Amino acid sequence: MFCYQCEQTAGCTACTGSAGVCGKRADTARLQDKLTGALIGLARATEGNEYLITGDTSRLVLEGLFTTVTNVNFNNDTITELIRRVEKERERLVPDCFVCTVSCGKNNNYDMNNLWEADEDVRSLKSLILFGIRGVAAYAYHAAVLGYTDDTINRFFFKALFAIGMDDWGMDELLPIVLEVGEINLKCMALLDRANTETYGNPVPTQVPLTVEKGPFIVISGHDLYDLKQLLEQTKDKGINIYTHGEMLPAHAYPELKKYPHLKGNFGTAWQNQQKEFADIPAPVLFTTNCLMPPKKSYADRVFTTEVVSYPEMVHIGKERDFTPVIEKALSLGGYPEDMHFTGINGGKTVMTGFSHHAVLSVADTVIDAVKSGAIKHFFLVGGCDGAKPGRNYYTEFVKQTPADSIVLTLACGKYRFNDLDLGTIGGLPRIMDMGQCNDAYSAIKVAVALAEAFDCGVNDLPLSMVLSWYEQKAVCILLTLLHLGIKNILLGPSLPAFISPNVLQYLVENYNIAPISTPEEDLHR
């Protein structure tokens, strides 16, 4: 296998053995490459004939790209079936190509070895495009579930896949598409923000307990709010409580989800701790999107998957979303006999969420006055994707050392390193504001732009520092969005992507002053 798409890749170079650090086997990695090659083949077959592409074709591409995101699908059977569907769709769209013996690229899959063995700068740029659109596809998939789509976004996936398959393209052709990934992701995050808020209401600041009450319960993990809504509906009046996990925490802030009294609180911390935290809980766990780690035997019979998530021998809930097997498992296990009082990583008993752009901008005058008076001297955006690799305690120490006259904005699962800390308030505003899931980077961008407008300056002139952690492909597309917006001086960690070649890194340094994190003490005074 060859895989270097996540931050924890072996030796900071690539996973090349019998299995990846994430637990993905070599044969699964090869199938995911074959799936990607089939998607590139589909894009090449429709190039110049975009009118052939239907909504169902676009949805298939979203599903295919999302399936290859880290910690989503470990199931060879489902990946093989998806490859078959992509190839069948290509044959349906361009049937004449399959009676032609000339190899023009439109009647066969792309060989991904051409990418992995390419010149390192070309490989680097194409990897940025590929991993970036995998992240964008995840957001577009969530929006599509709620009925929100955008033809501009959907067409771009074909353009980007086509570019990856062009073996004679160099930096001049590829670099503009790298930055376009960031532009399209901004559109996609805005689309998902609209889908979520128009469906579930604007998030409001909400305190979420970490206590699990006695009795049957279900833990739901991932990102897809629609799955949570369906689970809440199906468990009404059944005596089953629902607890979020990981990136599902921000669900507590949405009015249309808050109204369910059996949505009780949050269980556990970040996704990478699940093998320890799920080991002996008397309840089932439902995975709706990425964040799945190979389940250990101690709790494997309590894991359920849905959407594009799949793992061999795990019970999968299909598109009809009948969660009866999960509900029956919860009732049979019975939950805890008495209330269990858990804490966050730093000992906190509750966490806050719900500080979306709507919530923050509704008190914009308070924030602006606090800046003008000197009560708030600096903003730190500290967030991103978390992981298990040593060195991520940097983010906890960084937040602990932020000055008392600063605000910490955070989002995604990186917040679990510090979101249970009590750093006090400034003018009634909590010093730590959780803006939501990773896609809610859109909220952070909206707030930054609004502050820049209020102070008649550029975003780069604000007293704002961005200290980001990355793990998988959604973090890649968010980083590209920030670069598309011209935002500079981003600190990235805990290590730089293995797929960034020295020349591409130099370009990012020269044009955006992107840099790796060092120590909290040094970075706080940059």
Side-chain angles (χ1 to χ4, degrees), residues 276-398:
K276 177 178 65 176
E277 294 176 343
F278 293 166
D280 56 5
I281 62 170
V285 181
L286 174 64
F287 283 90
T288 66
T289 57
N290 57 311
C291 302
L292 173 67
M293 297 177 74
K296 292 191 172 182
K297 290 183 179 180
S298 60
Y299 65 91
D301 65 326
R302 292 180 272 117
V303 172
F304 296 80
T305 61
T306 190
E307 297 283 359
V308 298
V309 187
S310 187
Y311 196 88
E313 300 180 4
M314 299 292 104
V315 176
H316 186 77
I317 308 299
K319 293 183 178 180
E320 73 285 353
R321 291 181 175 82
D322 180 358
F323 294 118
T324 299
V326 189
I327 293 169
E328 291 176 345
K329 178 64 75 171
L331 291 172
S332 68
L333 291 170
Y336 292 111
E338 58 186 25
D339 292 356
M340 297 292 289
H341 302 286
F342 296 101
T343 65
I345 288 177
N346 301 288
K349 297 179 180 179
T350 63
V351 292
M352 286 286 291
T353 191
F355 291 95
S356 67
H357 62 89
H358 182 271
V360 176
L361 295 180
S362 68
V363 293
D365 290 345
T366 302
V367 175
I368 292 168
D369 288 345
V371 174
K372 288 181 176 178
S373 70
I376 297 176
K377 287 190 169 61
H378 206 87
F379 295 88
F380 295 95
L381 176 59
V382 186
C385 302
D386 202 8
K389 194 174 181 178
R392 290 182 180 267
N393 60 319
Y394 161 94
Y395 297 95
T396 309
E397 295 306 314
F398 186 97

Side-chain angles (χ1 to χ4, degrees), residues 70-143:
T70 304
N71 295 100
V72 172
N73 194 312
F74 299 79
N75 193 329
N76 289 356
D77 291 340
T78 59
I79 299 172
T80 299
E81 172 60 18
L82 193 48
I83 294 168
R84 187 197 67 79
R85 288 171 55 200
V86 173
E87 292 175 339
K88 185 177 180 180
E89 181 68 0
R90 189 178 76 230
E91 184 172 358
R92 183 186 74 81
L93 292 177
V94 286
D96 291 344
C97 285
F98 289 84
V99 295
C100 174
T101 59
V102 177
S103 181
C104 65
K106 292 192 174 186
N107 57 357
N108 57 351
N109 294 345
Y110 180 72
D111 184 353
M112 292 295 288
N113 286 323
N114 291 345
L115 171 56
W116 308 137
E117 297 171 3
D119 167 82
E120 66 172 357
D121 293 334
V122 169
R123 184 177 71 173
S124 182
L125 292 171
K126 287 188 175 183
S127 294
L128 278 168
I129 295 170
L130 175 59
F131 303 155
I133 62 172
R134 285 176 175 175
V136 181
Y139 297 147
Y141 184 97
H142 296 321

Side-chain angles (χ1 to χ4, degrees), residues 132-153:
I133 62 172
R134 285 176 175 175
V136 181
Y139 297 147
Y141 184 97
H142 296 321
V145 165
L146 297 176
Y148 290 72
T149 60
D150 185 305
D151 287 342
T152 300
I153 296 170

